Amino acid sequence: MSRSVMWWLPRGILLGLFAFFIFGPLVNLVLWSVAESWFWPNRLPSQYGFRFWERVFRPEGQAMESLWLSIWIASLTTLLCLAVSVPAAWALAKANLRWRAAILMLFLLPQAFPNLPVYINIARIFFTFDLNGTVIGVVLVHAAHGLVYSIWIATAAFAAVDDDLELAARNIGAGALTAFRTVTLPLAAPGIAASAVFVFLESLDEFTASYFVGAPEVRTLPLLLFSAAAGGNMQVAAITALILLVPSVLFMLIVERFLRAEVLAKVGK
């Protein structure tokens, strides 16, 4: 066997295995979404069709209603996180804060503990304030996790902006607010947009928080997926998962375009 074959063969095998682990579950979802009958031990569906797609998109299927509700909650969560993270990130990046590292670590606390006990206790607290089963309650609990992305990425975005550019604007007569609005904010905007996309996707796909705080009154698309899978309706669950996948892929392409390497290099600094 030639040296070139020996060089390419193991790499080809590794690439094939990697592609299988990435695209194999997606292919399985697509098969389930068009499988009108699929019984063990058949390796492939015995009958194909789009009957379940039509069922999902019926008004009584609640898929579109749940999708728009999920998008609405994710949008509100993103706006709330940006309202908090933009001024906080500017202060963390530009102000001489003594406890800067400790403050950044505080925003990581929601990720430091298992989600289940955290959300159970949040649900108990929200119950006393009549926030359980409300969109506001779901938005608040989603924002607790979303702030991790928005604060850290926005802080890195502001830190990547050269201070001399803002000083130059101040030297030619611009006030502090004008310099921030016309110089600093536009330069940090790609990183802020990327943080908003991460928050939106985190909220859109969130299940555990929505289940303990929102269910059954607030029925998001991940909850619909769970109900279908728990009921053994794999076709509806697969279709719902594919619907959730579309905005995730589109927004991740946006992140890949706007989140620059120099911004990532500032994360945690």
Side-chain angles (χ1 to χ4, degrees):
M1 189 177 293
S2 65
R3 181 177 296 179
S4 61
V5 174
M6 291 294 295
W7 192 87
W8 281 107
L9 183 60
R11 289 165 175 79
I13 293 174
L14 288 175
L15 182 61
L17 290 174
F18 180 77
F20 174 78
F21 283 113
I22 294 296
F23 296 106
L26 296 180
V27 172
N28 190 58
L29 282 177
V30 173
L31 283 175
W32 268 114
S33 70
V34 295
E36 295 198 358
S37 61
W38 192 353
F39 303 104
W40 189 88
N42 297 339
R43 296 187 177 183
L44 291 173
S46 55
Q47 185 178 354
Y48 297 88
F50 294 94
R51 177 165 55 90
F52 286 96
W53 282 88
E54 190 269 337
R55 180 186 300 180
V56 166
F57 285 100
R58 288 177 186 171
E60 59 268 24
Q62 297 184 333
M64 296 309 297
E65 180 183 347
S66 297
L67 175 61
W68 290 120
L69 179 59
S70 297
I71 292 174
W72 174 240
I73 289 173
S75 301
L76 291 177
T77 301
T78 303
L79 290 175
L80 177 59
C81 287
L82 288 180
V84 174
S85 65
V86 170
W90 180 87
L92 288 167
K94 298 300 183 182
N96 188 20
L97 297 179
R98 184 177 181 182
W99 303 102
R100 178 179 180 275
I103 295 171
L104 282 171
M105 289 300 296
L106 282 176
F107 285 102
L108 286 178
L109 284 180
Q111 302 283 358
F113 301 98
N115 287 340
L116 190 59
V118 171
Y119 290 142
I120 290 175
N121 281 280
I122 289 176
R124 182 180 61 82
I125 295 171
F126 278 13
F127 182 80
T128 63
F129 294 99
D130 294 326
L131 290 172
N132 270 23
T134 66
V135 171
I136 295 176
V138 175
V139 168
L140 289 175
V141 73
H142 283 195
H145 265 268
L147 280 172
V148 175
Y149 299 104
S150 59
I151 287 288
W152 276 71
I153 297 176
T155 300
F158 280 117
V161 177
D162 193 345
D163 293 337
D164 292 338
L165 297 175
E166 188 170 343
L167 289 175
R170 297 289 299 275
N171 288 334
I172 61 175
L177 183 60
T178 302
F180 171 79
R181 180 174 54 83
T182 60
V183 177
T184 307
L185 187 59
L187 291 174
I192 296 173
S195 72
V197 169
F198 275 110
V199 173
F200 186 90
L201 293 179
E202 171 77 9
S203 176
L204 189 68
D205 295 335
E206 178 60 51
F207 165 75
T208 310
S210 302
Y211 179 79
F212 283 102
V213 175
E217 289 84 0
V218 181
R219 190 178 176 86
T220 62
L221 200 58
L223 291 180
L224 185 66
L225 189 157
F226 172 78
S227 299
N233 197 335
M234 298 304 298
Q235 289 89 342
V236 174
I239 294 169
T240 307
L242 290 173
I243 293 173
L244 275 172
L245 186 64
V246 172
S248 299
V249 172
L250 292 177
F251 281 124
M252 288 308 296
L253 291 175
I254 296 174
V255 170
E256 189 274 334
R257 179 177 179 181
F258 288 108
L259 196 58
R260 301 164 297 172
E262 58 266 28
V263 173
L264 290 173
K266 295 288 185 177
V267 174
K269 291 187 177 181

